[in-house]
């Protein structure tokens, strides 16, 4: 529950991870960045995954929940870097935690049960779908940064790590639907 929600004013952006992925692919191509040969099938996969999600009530979301964006001052946890913040699917933030922290299925179940107070197989499946989406988005962000950023960081390795995590998440999702 975001306690400051009633104090928000002005226009809020809508964040759609599926559109972000399509935009990132277009930007990467425009920059001449190195994309996997299978990127077109990944985009087709995103179309399929988007259709698998239930309707939801958009809410204020961070949309980039990484460990580096969570600060601990000893008393409170602070979620910082709201660059991608906007209205969106509230399950995307939970999926981001699952993907970016490398949680296993059992750990994800504990997180979701703790968050919602009960187990819900339908919600767990949607988080799994959005976990794959989150990992692909992160990989594509790194692909762009590899050619656009001046920061001394191995973005190519980070992209590879996230493409591999996306593939594992897709395999897990396929295995769970059987």
């Amino acid at each position: 529950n975001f306690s400051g929600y009633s104090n928000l004013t002005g226009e809020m952006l809508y964040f759609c991870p599926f559109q972000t992925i399509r935009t990132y692919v277009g930007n990467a191509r425009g920059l001449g960045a190195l994309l996997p040969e299978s990127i077109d099938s990944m985009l087709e996969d995103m179309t399929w995954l988007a259709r698998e999600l239930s309707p939801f009530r958009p809410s204020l979301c961070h949309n980039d929940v990484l460990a580096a964006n969570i600060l601990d001052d000893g008393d409170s946890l602070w979620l910082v870097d709201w660059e991608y913040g906007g209205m969106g699917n509230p399950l995307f933030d939970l999926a981001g935690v699952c993907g970016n922290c490398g949680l296993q299925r059992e750990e994800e179940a504990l997180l979701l049960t703790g968050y919602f107070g009960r187990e819900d197989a339908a919600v767990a499946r949607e988080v799994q779908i959005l976990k794959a989406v989150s990992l692909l988005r992160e990989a594509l962000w790194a692909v762009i940064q590899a050619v656009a950023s001046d920061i001394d960081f191995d973005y190519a390795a980070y992209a590879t790590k996230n493409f591999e995590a996306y593939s594992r998440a897709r395999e897990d999702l396929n295995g769970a639907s059987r």
Side-chain angles (χ1 to χ4, degrees), residues 9-175:
T9 61
E11 296 181 20
M12 293 294 299
L13 296 176
Y14 181 80
F15 179 86
C16 175
F18 299 99
Q19 181 58 46
T20 301
I21 286 169
R22 289 188 294 272
T23 299
Y24 281 4
V25 169
N27 290 346
R29 285 180 171 148
L31 290 168
L34 183 62
L35 288 165
E37 289 181 21
S38 59
I39 193 63
D40 289 329
S41 65
M42 290 179 195
L43 288 174
E44 289 175 25
D45 188 43
M46 290 299 107
T47 299
W48 181 84
L49 290 176
R51 291 183 193 135
E52 291 293 303
L53 295 175
S54 301
F56 60 91
R57 171 182 250 155
S59 61
L60 182 62
C61 301
H62 185 273
N63 299 309
D64 193 26
V65 182
L66 305 164
N69 288 339
I70 303 170
L71 302 180
D72 183 353
D73 68 6
D75 293 319
S76 299
L77 295 177
W78 299 89
L79 190 55
V80 299
D81 188 8
W82 283 78
E83 177 183 358
Y84 296 100
M87 301 304 284
N89 188 331
L91 295 179
F92 189 72
D93 280 346
L94 292 170
V97 169
C98 293
N100 293 321
C101 294
L103 299 185
Q104 300 303 310
R105 176 90 50 163
E106 299 78 25
E107 295 166 316
E108 291 172 11
L110 286 172
L111 173 69
L112 296 176
T113 300
Y115 187 84
F116 291 106
R118 61 183 167 72
E119 290 185 29
D120 186 324
V123 167
R125 175 159 170 73
E126 294 206 12
V127 168
Q128 284 291 304
I129 289 169
L130 290 168
K131 175 182 173 180
V133 174
S134 174
L135 290 164
L136 182 57
R137 193 272 314 242
E138 192 71 13
L140 291 166
W141 173 85
V143 164
I144 292 169
Q145 295 309 307
V147 297
S149 177
D150 294 331
I151 296 172
D152 184 23
F153 181 78
D154 192 351
Y155 288 107
Y158 186 69
T160 298
K161 175 186 139 200
N162 279 284
F163 279 123
E164 290 170 355
Y166 159 76
S167 294
R168 284 190 305 276
R170 285 303 287 122
E171 288 170 11
D172 289 348
L173 187 56
N174 288 341

